[in-house]
Amino acid sequence: MGERPDPSVDRRFMALALTLGRRGLGQTWPNPAVGALVVRQGPDGPVVVGRGWTAPGGRPHAETEALKHAGAAAAGATLYVTLEPCSHHGKTPPCVDAIVAAGITRVVSALEDPNPEVAGEGHARLRAAGVAVDIGLGADEARRAHDGHIRRIRDGRPHILLKLAVSSDGKAGLAGRKPADITGRTARHRAHMLRAASDAMLIGIGTALADNPLLTCRLPGMAGRSPVRVVLDRSLRLPLGSRLVTTAGTSPLWVIGSVAAPPEREEALRNAGVEVLRVEEAGDRLGLAAVLRALVWRGITRLMVEGGPIVAAAFVAAGLPDEVALFRRAYPIGADGIDALEGLPLTAVTQSPHLRSCGIEPVGEDTLEMFERCSPGS
């Protein structure tokens, strides 16, 4: 780009790269959703000549897409990218080779990739080829954008978002475990946007039986962004006539059962198009650690836990949520309603020493309070 741009220019283009990358959230697993821009100096200032984001399924990478769009204009330009370019041969050649071959003279990278196959090697190879490399601009936002990738690499589990919808008195359902419409239309739309940014969403068999849900993203034009639907079903008793099973051909459904579950139930579900996973039990329930290992082994990096007081409480008790989306309505259900967390007070979330509130915002007639893990790496 010639002269080095001032910091405000770099910040502007990195913010745009991060916005581009977020387009891929929920679609690129097992790869991170990266954004990239190629910018060169024009007569009237810097101009974007190429942009890219990780394609669904993780290929092509954002950098190669941006370079392809830039073409010959990439020579002498700057590349802004939200995660360190890969330096190893996988299903495609290393992005650093494409960057060098395109004639990029400067790379502004938000974050070093924790993947041990990269881990600084991409930046080092660029510098060795004579490319100027600046690291760290937009790092905090990049960590949020790549939280699933980071958690998968560092901890061997997905990043976990727990979604709760509660009445003003902290209830999640009516007496007798009957479902209730807790939140209004605007809040439900917001929850569907959270689904669309997740690789998979998980409920327990109790919720599946009580609610007979679809668990798809039902915003206009967003059906294709529905996450993988996961049901914890120890005995594999999910009915073949349920809406989950009958739509397995159009929206992936994974059912996780015990290693001791009846083989004939597995066969019936598989014949209906369901993927059945089996894990070890922990006491009288499926072991959450084993469940998360099974999901991450299949590439899931961002998991939304949406269903049921029992499952929600199990995740909270295990200290697993990295984020919590707490939707509240303005009206009570009453003392005979079902608590949002089975056997735990709601303060296990709202006053948890491991979670901090990011603030409360109105969502239609309801409110949304987001919580995040106090230390992202903890």
Side-chain angles (χ1 to χ4, degrees):
M1 276 178 59
E3 291 187 10
R4 185 186 185 90
D6 65 50
S8 66
V9 172
D10 278 350
R11 285 194 295 271
R12 176 159 55 95
F13 287 124
M14 182 57 76
L16 180 53
L18 286 160
T19 299
L20 290 174
R22 283 191 289 268
R23 293 184 177 193
L25 288 176
Q27 303 295 299
T28 67
W29 58 276
N31 287 355
V34 177
L37 286 177
V38 179
V39 180
R40 65 177 299 113
Q41 190 68 28
D44 300 316
V47 178
V48 175
V49 295
R51 60 180 186 160
W53 53 92
T54 311
R59 298 286 191 282
H61 287 183
E63 300 95 318
T64 55
E65 284 294 280
L67 293 171
K68 181 178 72 174
H69 292 153
T78 291
L79 174 72
Y80 294 84
V81 62
T82 64
L83 188 67
E84 179 182 8
C86 64
S87 55
H88 62 289
H89 283 270
K91 294 181 180 179
T92 55
C95 286
V96 294
D97 290 355
I99 293 168
V100 172
I104 291 288
T105 57
R106 178 175 177 241
V107 169
V108 181
S109 174
L111 203 63
E112 183 176 294
D113 191 340
N115 185 342
E117 294 184 306
V118 186
E121 182 64 21
H123 293 147
R125 285 185 55 184
L126 288 170
R127 288 186 172 122
V131 178
V133 178
D134 294 322
I135 307 167
L137 180 65
D140 289 343
E141 187 60 30
R143 287 188 191 95
R144 292 186 178 92
H146 303 312
D147 49 19
H149 172 68
I150 293 169
R151 186 65 70 183
R152 175 175 177 253
I153 294 296
R154 290 184 175 171
D155 296 338
R157 68 166 177 83
H159 178 90
I160 295 168
L161 165 64
L162 172 64
K163 177 252 179 179
L164 298 172
V166 303
S167 61
S168 61
D169 52 353
K171 304 299 182 180
L174 302 175
R177 298 195 179 275
K178 295 178 181 177
D181 288 331
I182 300 293
T183 53
R185 180 180 180 182
T186 304
R188 288 195 293 272
H189 284 184
R190 185 67 170 271
H192 279 256
M193 290 298 294
L194 294 175
R195 287 183 181 181
S198 301
D199 303 345
M201 61 175 302
L202 179 149
I203 65 169
I205 183 61
T207 297
L209 295 175
D211 296 358
N212 193 22
L214 272 175
L215 303 183
T216 52
C217 182
R218 294 189 295 281
L219 297 177
M222 299 283 283
R225 295 189 65 101
S226 296
V228 174
R229 303 168 300 168
V230 180
V231 180
L232 299 186
D233 183 7
R234 179 169 165 253
S235 301
L236 300 181
R237 56 195 175 106
L238 184 66
L240 298 181
S242 67
R243 295 203 295 171
L244 286 167
V245 174
T246 56
T247 56
T250 56
S251 188
L253 174 64
W254 299 354
V255 174
I256 303 181
S258 163
V259 292
E264 61 272 16
R265 288 298 303 161
E266 176 177 348
E267 182 180 6
L269 288 168
R270 288 191 181 278
N271 288 340
V274 179
E275 181 168 353
V276 178
L277 316 178
R278 289 177 179 266
V279 300
E280 295 287 344
E281 296 180 43
D284 60 349
R285 297 182 182 176
L286 298 176
L288 288 185
V291 166
L292 296 176
R293 282 195 301 270
L295 292 177
V296 86
W297 187 81
R298 284 162 177 78
I300 299 300
T301 69
R302 296 169 59 86
L303 175 66
M304 182 174 175
V305 177
E306 190 168 336
I310 294 174
V311 168
F315 273 82
V316 171
L320 288 169
D322 300 298
E323 294 180 271
V324 178
L326 177 60
F327 292 89
R328 288 183 189 262
R329 66 178 286 184
Y331 307 103
I333 284 181
D336 59 347
I338 302 302
D339 289 336
L341 300 173
E342 181 90 0
L344 292 175
L346 192 57
T347 54
V349 167
T350 60
Q351 297 178 24
S352 168
H354 308 297
L355 297 168
R356 63 181 173 213
S357 173
C358 302
I360 302 174
E361 62 176 295
V363 184
E365 62 199 72
D366 309 300
T367 62
L368 169 61
E369 185 171 10
M370 291 295 302
F371 297 83
E372 66 179 10
R373 189 176 289 274
C374 293
S375 174
S378 66

